Amino acid sequence: MSLGVQGMNLPPRPLLPKHVAERWGCSERTVRNMIRAGRLKHFRLGGRLLRIPLSAVE
């Protein structure tokens, strides 16, 4: 874990579909299809923005 504000341990930041695609060497569409099919853990911010926890990628 990284150190955050005032030495607090904060969880790693979630990734965008674009960043997962870059890590895996595939297209963003492939990542979004995996999310849609239920094969990749994700959550939404504000009901729209997709984020993928780092734990789901490693």
Side-chain angles (χ1 to χ4, degrees):
M1 287 193 189
S2 61
L3 291 179
V5 177
Q6 299 175 356
M8 294 173 42
N9 284 331
L10 298 175
R13 294 183 72 160
L15 301 171
L16 298 168
K18 173 184 174 181
H19 297 146
V20 173
E22 289 170 0
R23 278 178 173 239
W24 288 353
C26 65
S27 69
E28 186 176 345
R29 172 61 59 201
T30 298
V31 173
R32 290 179 181 277
N33 286 342
M34 290 177 71
I35 289 170
R36 192 173 302 113
R39 297 188 331 218
L40 184 60
K41 187 176 174 181
H42 71 286
F43 61 93
R44 291 188 180 270
L45 292 175
R48 244 183 100 82
L49 302 175
L50 281 173
R51 296 295 183 264
I52 299 111
L54 192 56
S55 61
V57 175
E58 295 179 329

